[in-house]
Amino acid sequence: MNLTQLRSLIAVAEAGSVTAAAEAVGVTQSGMSQALAALEESLGVKLLVRRRHGVELTAFGDRALVHARAAVAHLDAIRREAADAMGEESGAIRIAAFPSVFATVLPPLLRRFRSRHPGIEVVALETDDREVMAWLEAGTVDLGVVLNPPADGDAILIGQDAWVGVLPAGHPLAGRRTLSLAALAAEPFVLATGGCHVHARTLAEAAGLSLPDIRVEVRDWASAIALVREGAGVGIVPESTLPEKRRGLGIVTLDPPLVRRFGLKSSPARATTRASSLLIDLARG
């Protein structure tokens, strides 16, 4: 049994397939398979069951995974403390966020961090906002960017984004500077979710409204804006997702205004490392 085998078990448990695990770790699929087979042989117990669409851990595999994660965490801690003793900055940070954060507030923060701490590896993982919370609670990542954190919580505010209405340029309401959420919700609507659980439908529901005439529902903000430009309906999108070229679009401010806030949060299931603390301090600063 060795560290490579333990890391392989952790990777395949998180990825759900040998192929995806090998890509995440940066080894060949055959190398990953050989490491897992060698680990099973050394233990004399089956760890994985091959399924049609991937692999699953056996009951013993689940128990072994707990020990594997603990062993790898302790070895990483030894390396970090050794680096600290030598006065070197090293380590790695796993940070999760949802797509629009990677397109707006997070890249400048990570660029500043890498310029100050080039010896620290930052692994950025993109998912939806609910899974960010799940990964934080499970300790899968060190840090995550959460949506609309409570004001009295421990998340550090790193940015915010206003919601705006988008309409076809020829729409009767397109010339208005501001519109209420109710006025937009009553129109034929193009709904985009952006990979988040907060979007136009949930904003309307929170205000006691509904979207009675949804013509199209898509995930991507850019697709929704393109459909609005073509006259498929109106929409509500984050301001940061608006294109530079806005010909064919009418943009209106919501009255009263609505914003979404982004907060950087540590995993409560993992000890905060020095590397993570440095990024938190930079975000707070």
Side-chain angles (χ1 to χ4, degrees):
M1 187 189 309
N2 58 45
L3 185 58
T4 298
Q5 294 167 356
L6 296 181
R7 289 192 185 279
S8 297
L9 178 63
I10 295 169
V12 79
E14 293 178 352
S17 77
V18 175
T19 301
E23 291 177 356
V25 174
V27 300
T28 64
Q29 182 176 344
S30 62
M32 176 71 69
S33 297
Q34 289 171 12
L36 293 168
L39 180 58
E40 289 182 326
E41 183 177 353
S42 69
L43 294 172
V45 182
K46 201 73 173 173
L47 297 171
L48 303 169
V49 178
R50 271 68 178 178
R51 302 295 188 192
R52 182 177 179 182
H53 299 294
V55 295
E56 293 180 2
L57 295 184
T58 62
F60 180 80
D62 283 329
R63 298 199 301 273
L65 177 64
V66 175
H67 296 297
R69 282 177 167 155
V72 170
H74 286 307
L75 288 171
D76 287 343
I78 292 171
R79 290 193 180 98
R80 287 194 300 269
E81 292 186 19
D84 288 344
M86 294 294 292
E88 299 175 359
E89 286 188 349
S90 61
I93 304 171
R94 289 166 63 89
I95 181 170
F98 42 96
S100 52
V101 173
F102 279 116
T104 53
V105 298
L106 198 53
L109 176 63
L110 295 184
R111 281 196 297 270
R112 288 167 57 205
F113 182 79
R114 287 179 176 121
S115 68
R116 295 188 185 189
H117 309 287
I120 298 176
E121 179 187 9
V122 179
V123 180
L125 305 171
E126 182 178 298
T127 185
D128 63 69
D129 62 319
R130 283 181 169 166
E131 195 161 28
V132 170
M133 289 300 301
W135 287 358
L136 285 170
E137 290 168 3
T140 305
V141 295
D142 300 290
L143 302 171
V145 179
V146 298
L147 184 63
N148 295 334
D152 58 351
D154 58 354
I156 301 164
L157 189 66
I158 60 173
Q160 66 180 36
D161 198 4
W163 292 95
V164 297
V166 288
L167 305 91
H171 193 283
L173 299 176
R176 301 278 295 273
R177 295 184 62 184
T178 62
L179 280 174
S180 68
L181 179 61
L184 285 165
E187 295 291 319
F189 211 89
V190 175
L191 175 64
T193 64
C196 296
H197 78 282
V198 177
H199 44 74
R201 181 190 282 129
T202 60
L203 293 174
E205 290 171 351
L209 303 168
S210 64
L211 302 178
D213 188 10
I214 297 176
R215 299 293 175 90
V216 187
E217 180 172 342
V218 296
R219 176 185 173 91
D220 185 62
W221 299 116
S223 298
I225 293 169
L227 287 165
V228 169
R229 196 193 302 267
E230 294 301 317
V234 307
I236 295 174
V237 302
E239 188 174 22
S240 63
T241 66
L242 293 173
E244 291 185 12
K245 297 180 180 179
R246 302 179 185 179
R247 184 175 180 179
L249 292 172
I251 311 298
V252 297
T253 302
L254 294 182
D255 184 19
L258 294 172
V259 299
R260 55 181 194 159
R261 297 175 298 112
F262 312 126
L264 183 65
K265 181 178 174 62
S266 298
S267 167
R270 293 172 70 99
T272 302
T273 64
R274 172 169 169 73
S276 295
S277 296
L278 290 170
L279 181 53
I280 290 168
D281 290 343
L282 180 61
R284 185 182 284 120

